[in-house]
């Protein structure tokens, strides 16, 4: 051996994460070949394994580049390295998949059609010119079409479409960008579109895309089958079409999302920052809430009275073909009735009679129904509002490997969570559990998830609310293993789980939302907890008020406003906007009801306080969708006015009275709504900071968690985090799952996995 001879080493690299079905093996093959390394790469059911031989420093460089240059849809969790005996295996190969027992691979979420595929789609010379199902290794359906693992075509809903020779050749060629892309197809072998108007038979003569475009141009509503279900689509610039859609969906004011062709197209209708542009064009392709521009061609009925507009880019080839023909933005809303799950099969769609005038269908079945995701950016931080397509089923790393846990979430914006073996899979947004269809969808999707990941829960975590359908479902199906997790504890734990906080270390948790069942049987929602994963102590809360009519009051912020005025000992003066919503007899009845307490519930809800203030400012007295008044209050807070209001702080009570008194005084003085709304937000951020500082000092805790639906309010979240940082405290919020009840299940799982873990002796 001479001194300049290079020492060759061999190693086995085991790569875990989302590394299958995303073009990882051909990437490894290309990289190793380029770097002159020898060996092979293959899949097993849990990971990708790479046996590599070469100079030591080259192998280190190779590992670095695996992380740095991984394909767009891959997400590496870990690369484990073990030495091997050096063999003489010249060159680098892709070897057959091996199946290991009892383990699971991570499934990739669905991804928007990539730029390469879009350019082929519109290239007349390409053999997939205008093929509505064009896809490659870097894009297309995944989660919605996978029936079982490993992810191979026979285990997907593409099983019924055998590849033609040309597609098969691409599929087998490691240098092709469609190598091992399971859903690839072409006009000769792939799924097909069909168009059907109202009661007519399917039109087999005309081009389905052309028919769809002309029907939309006519101002009609077309049900369009997408990745995770059907959308109802209409021309977003046509007032009559949007008005018809609102009437048919019984959707008075709740904003619709629109779909556009590109980021530039989006910028015609909204202000788009660089970070927002990146988010719009990301493979997840969510609906991004953006600041709407004034005086555009968009119908004002798309998002009435709302300065934000939800925009997503076309994310399937079908969408691109339609918008290229239609040349105007489309309203795209889930095909369902309010609160129900999205229709994803033809039977489900046909049951929605009277909603659409025509259907653009296709014959690739959807195995897993998934809605569009909705997100917002707060500064540069992602604020998920609905987590579904493009994000589900990416797991959250979950250190507690044992026991397997199923958490069933809450009844509004339901999602569930299954946790096992180092991962917590948060299911996609399903809907509101009050209706039977959602409950059936829940049952179905939970079963599929548990099958898929081979999870056998020994603990089933539920909300403590005695009336929740989700809890009832769990008690019916898993009576012997149910554990209750208090609603606001779960909100705080959801943030802890996301940020991998030490489960034993207490945090100061602010859980602000509309409604959650409290330990004392009243409705909580303005809570400060000192909590870890095991337990919590309620150290502060908003002053309780009596709410007349409970849930009925939720739809009428003016009733909440009167209840709050009474709670604060303030007059129902006729000059106040909410008082004017009632006649004298109604006021008398309401007064009597509040005095007697009959049919009143006690609540400390922060969401209701936002409702009350919105009504006091005359912004909104009756709502048609959840959080409507609170959203309008946030939007109204335009003037960074000084001289904010101050809550009283008489531990454990955060006293609302001085804030309401100051608002009424400002209204009397004719102060602007924008200034009052801003001062109210400022007051909430101020009390959060004061309580946090006191508690941090008394308990020696420096981490503050902000959770619950109220923190969907970007202004409030921004003010709170800024001031907590100024006070030297670390503030964390939900960035992976929504802060609303859509994030509850993750928190329930985190609490249950720790507090109710089975000890070696068998007991709790
Ligand atoms: Zn592609
Ligand atoms: Zn083909
Ligand atoms: Fe909640």
């Amino acid at each position: 051996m001479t001194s300049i001879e290079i020492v060759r080493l061999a190693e086995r690299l085991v790569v875990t994460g989302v590394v299958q079905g995303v073009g990882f093996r051909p990437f490894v093959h290309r990289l190793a070949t380029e770097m002159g390394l020898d060996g092979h790469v293959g899949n097993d059911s849990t990971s990708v394994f790479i046996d590599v031989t070469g100079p030591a420093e080259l192998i280190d460089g190779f590992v670095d580049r695996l992380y740095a240059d991984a394909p767009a849809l891959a997400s590496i969790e870990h690369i484990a390295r073990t030495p091997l005996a050096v063999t003489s295996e010249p060159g680098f190969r892709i070897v057959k998949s091996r199946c290991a027992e009892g383990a699971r691979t991570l499934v990739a979420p669905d991804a928007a059609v990539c730029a390469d595929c879009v350019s082929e789609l519109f290239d007349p010379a390409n053999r997939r010119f205008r093929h509505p199902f064009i896809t490659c290794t870097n894009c297309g359906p995944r989660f919605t079409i996978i029936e079982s693992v490993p992810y191979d075509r026979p285990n997907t809903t593409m099983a019924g479409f055998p590849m033609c020779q040309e597609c098969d050749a691409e599929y087998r060629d490691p240098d092709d960008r469609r190598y091992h892309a399971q859903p690839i197809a072409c006009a000769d072998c792939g799924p097909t579109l069909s168009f059907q108007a109202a009661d007519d038979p399917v039109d087999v003569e005309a081009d389905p895309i052309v028919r769809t475009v002309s029907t939309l141009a006519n101002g009609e509503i077309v049900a369009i089958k997408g990745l995770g279900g059907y959308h109802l689509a209409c021309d977003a610039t046509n007032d009559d079409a949007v008005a018809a859609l609102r009437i048919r969906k019984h959707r008075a004011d709740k904003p619709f999302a629109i779909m556009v062709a590109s980021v530039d197209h989006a910028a015609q209708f909204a202000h788009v920052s660089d970070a927002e542009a990146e988010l719009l064009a990301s493979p997840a392709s969510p609906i991004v809430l953006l600041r709407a521009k004034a005086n555009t061609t968009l119908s004002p009925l798309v998002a009435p009275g709302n300065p934000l507009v939800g925009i997503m880019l076309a994310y399937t080839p079908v969408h691109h073909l339609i918008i290229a023909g239609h040349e105007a933005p489309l309203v795209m809303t889930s095909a369902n009735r309010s609160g129900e799950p999205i229709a994803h099969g033809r039977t489900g769609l046909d049951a929605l009679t009277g909603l659409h005038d025509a259907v653009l269908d296709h014959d690739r079945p959807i195995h897993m129904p998934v809605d569009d995701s909705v997100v917002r950016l707060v500064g540069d931080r992602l604020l998920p509002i609905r987590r579904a397509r493009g994000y589900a089923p990416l797991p959250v790393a979950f250190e507690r490997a044992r026991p397997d846990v199923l958490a069933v979430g809450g009844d509004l914006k339901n999602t569930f969570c299954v946790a096992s073996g180092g991962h917590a899979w948060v299911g996609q947004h399903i809907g509101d559990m009050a209706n039977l269809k959602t409950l059936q969808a829940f049952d179905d999707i939970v079963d599929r998830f548990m099958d898929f990941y081979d999870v056998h829960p020994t603990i089933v975590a539920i909300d403590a609310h005695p009336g929740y359908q989700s809890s009832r479902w769990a008690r019916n199906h898993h009576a012997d293993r149910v554990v209750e997790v208090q609603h606001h504890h779960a909100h705080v734990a959801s943030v802890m789980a996301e940020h991998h906080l030490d489960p034993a270390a207490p945090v100061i948790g602010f859980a602000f939302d509309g409604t959650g069942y409290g330990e004392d049987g009243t409705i909580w929602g303005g809570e400060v907890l000192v909590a870890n994963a095991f337990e919590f102590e309620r150290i502060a809360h908003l002053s309780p008020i009596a709410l007349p009519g409970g849930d009925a009051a939720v739809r009428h912020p003016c009733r909440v406003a009167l209840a709050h005025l009474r709670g604060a000992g303030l007059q129902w003066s006729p000059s106040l906007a909410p008082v004017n919503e009632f006649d004298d007899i109604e006021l008398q009845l309401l007064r009597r009801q509040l005095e007697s307490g009959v049919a009143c519930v006690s609540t400390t809800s922060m969401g209701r306080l936002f409702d009350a203030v919105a009504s006091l400012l005359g912004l909104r007295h009756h709502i048609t969708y959840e959080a409507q008044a609170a959203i309008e209050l946030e939007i109204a807070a335009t003037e960074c006015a000084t001289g904010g209001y101050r809550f009283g702080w008489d531990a454990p009570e955060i006293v609302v009275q001085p804030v309401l008194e100051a608002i009424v005084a400002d209204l009397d003085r004719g102060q602007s709504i924008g200034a009052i709304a801003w001062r109210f937000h400022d007051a909430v951020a101020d009390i959060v900071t004061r309580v946090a500082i006191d508690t941090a000092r008394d308990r020696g805790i420096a981490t503050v968690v902000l959770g619950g639906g109220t923190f969907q309010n970007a202004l409030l979240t921004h003010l709170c985090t800024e001031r907590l940082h100024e006070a030297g405290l670390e503030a964390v919020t939900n960035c992976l799952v929504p802060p609303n009840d859509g994030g509850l299940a993750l928190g329930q799982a985190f609490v249950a996995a720790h507090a109710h873990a089975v000890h070696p002796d068998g007991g709790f």
Side-chain angles (χ1 to χ4, degrees), residues 8-19:
R8 284 168 64 81
L9 292 179
E11 275 191 46
R12 161 154 303 177
L13 312 175
V14 176
V15 190
T16 50
V18 180
V19 287

Side-chain angles (χ1 to χ4, degrees), residues 463 468 487-488 491 512-516 708-709 739-742 744:
D463 193 273
Y468 271 8
H487 190 95
H488 302 93
H491 274 309
F512 291 171
D513 65 2
T515 298
N740 61 44
D741 285 4
L744 212 55

Side-chain angles (χ1 to χ4, degrees), residues 112-118 120 134-140 177-178:
V113 60
C114 72
D116 290 341
C117 285
V118 172
E120 287 185 7
I134 189 168
T135 176
C136 72
T137 310
N138 288 327
C139 75
R177 66 184 200 86
R178 295 195 166 85

Side-chain angles (χ1 to χ4, degrees), residues 666-755:
D666 266 359
L667 284 168
D668 277 348
R669 275 199 295 270
Q671 290 280 309
S672 80
I673 300 302
I676 300 176
W678 198 91
R679 285 177 180 156
F680 173 70
H681 282 78
D682 175 84
V684 178
D686 172 76
I687 190 64
V688 164
T689 313
R690 277 194 285 150
V691 173
I693 289 171
D694 282 3
T695 312
R697 189 192 51 228
D698 296 349
R699 308 284 185 110
I701 305 171
T703 304
V704 179
V705 159
L706 309 174
T710 301
F711 289 105
Q712 268 174 233
N713 183 317
L715 173 63
L716 179 69
T717 305
H718 170 75
L719 290 175
C720 288
T721 42
E722 198 178 59
R723 286 184 200 173
L724 289 164
H725 280 282
E726 279 167 15
L729 297 166
E730 189 202 357
V732 285
T733 59
N734 283 116
C735 316
L736 293 176
V737 298
N740 61 44
D741 285 4
L744 212 55
L746 177 63
Q748 291 173 342
F750 192 68
V751 170
H754 292 95

Side-chain angles (χ1 to χ4, degrees), residues 127-128 163-164 166-167 185-190:
R127 76 179 193 92
R128 290 192 179 84
M163 277 181 252
C164 69
E166 265 182 286
C167 286
C186 71
D188 293 333
C189 65

